Amino acid sequence: RGGASVVGGKDLTAIHHNPALLAKLEEGYDIASGWRKNRIDNAVTRKIPSRIANWLMAKVSGIELHDFGTTFKAYRKEVLKDINLYGELHRFIPALAAQYGARVIEVPIKNVPREAGRSHYGLSRTFRVLFDIITIRFILKYFTRPMHFFGKI
């Protein structure tokens, strides 16, 4: 719709979330981020690692989201134009945008079983996510004053 972009899974399992996400943009928010509040994934391989990673990402980024990893998000286009992404930092778009003053809200969404394909996420991605967390911490804390980083060495 006009000045908004909605993104989601490539298998389109939850396209029905779009109206709820877009409604939050119409209320004045710049980013509406989906939250798979009642996840249906395996507890050991998906839920527990995800909760730990989301808690750590919230602490590092300063953005209180429960679900950084969901692809279901709606953005105002003008918010995205100043965001530069490196590697797999797409999950941190809300944190990067908030640095520029974007208003972010989380919208509970229904987690439905995957209808096609398979997930490319799992425990094997742990180290990449940890490196992304370190990267986002550096970007958020030292982007406008990189020499302060070297003052701590």
Side-chain angles (χ1 to χ4, degrees), residues 35-47:
W35 170 21
R36 296 166 292 178
K37 191 172 182 177
N38 299 310
R39 290 189 69 165
I40 56 172
D41 300 315
N42 179 286
V44 174
T45 61
R46 300 294 295 274
K47 284 183 183 179

Side-chain angles (χ1 to χ4, degrees), residues 113-134:
R114 183 178 298 274
E115 293 178 15
R118 64 179 182 79
S119 174
H120 298 287
Y121 296 91
L123 291 175
S124 63
R125 297 177 50 89
T126 302
F127 289 107
R128 279 194 272 174
V129 170
L130 287 174
F131 288 129
D132 287 343
I133 291 171
I134 292 167

